Amino acid sequence: MLGIDPGTRRTGWGVVERTGNQLRCVATDTILAGDRAPLPDRLRCIYVALRDAMETYAPDVVAVEDIFFAKHPNAALKLGHARGVALLAAAVGGLEVVAYPPARVKRTIVGRGRADKQQVARIVGAMLRLRDLPGPDATDALAVAITHAQASPLEARLR
């Protein structure tokens, strides 16, 4: 399964594989779309990189983090663009898509919905037995994939 933490400047992705009760990180990365590039160029960069990851690792499902309600509506709108690109990339590949709210991801990983990024990263690293932690966006994407791996099959279907 492929987890995605969308963002217009940095989008994290991570592929997690389940064998029995064990989870393993297959691959993870952060797409650096650029701080100064125009939004359409950043979105194209995200789309191309996600499609490449989907073609390379052939996940059976894509789990995407939902948008949180930010203080700044413009930031939430831009985040929605990046999330839409992730959904499009999965749809073009014919992949099932599920979504999880950030608080649910944090509850699954840490046990409470208001955990900080460092707590999530440390526990993701321990769960996947990672020697080195990837950046925060990639770690968040792995957390989304783990959340799906631990969810029931009927949960979180994106409609």
Side-chain angles (χ1 to χ4, degrees):
M1 65 209 70
L2 171 65
I4 299 174
D5 178 37
T8 57
R9 288 181 167 72
R10 292 178 313 277
T11 292
W13 63 265
V15 178
V16 172
E17 179 180 80
R18 174 187 283 284
T19 305
N21 289 332
Q22 297 293 324
L23 295 174
R24 177 177 79 86
C25 176
V26 174
T28 189
D29 202 359
T30 300
I31 302 162
L32 301 174
D35 289 337
R36 298 182 187 258
L39 182 60
D41 292 345
R42 287 184 272 154
L43 296 176
R44 182 180 59 244
C45 174
I46 294 164
Y47 175 82
V48 168
L50 288 176
R51 285 298 309 140
D52 184 50
M54 290 172 193
E55 290 171 6
T56 300
Y57 298 102
D60 55 346
V61 64
V62 175
V64 181
E65 190 169 64
D66 271 338
I67 296 173
F68 63 94
F69 294 99
K71 284 186 206 177
H72 307 288
N74 195 32
L77 182 62
K78 285 182 181 175
L79 181 60
H81 292 319
R83 186 173 182 274
V85 165
L87 299 178
L88 175 63
V92 167
L95 297 170
E96 176 187 2
V97 178
V98 294
Y100 297 93
R104 166 73 188 278
V105 173
K106 290 175 182 180
R107 258 192 325 275
T108 300
I109 302 301
V110 178
R112 59 189 182 88
R114 294 189 180 255
D116 64 36
K117 282 188 174 283
Q118 288 94 3
Q119 288 175 304
V120 171
R122 281 194 306 272
I123 294 176
V124 164
M127 291 174 86
L128 297 175
R129 296 170 303 286
L130 300 175
R131 286 186 183 171
D132 298 311
L133 291 178
D137 301 291
T139 305
D140 285 352
L142 290 169
V144 175
I146 292 168
T147 298
H148 181 67
Q150 295 183 351
S152 78
L154 300 177
E155 285 184 89
R157 295 253 189 272
L158 189 63
R159 299 189 192 334

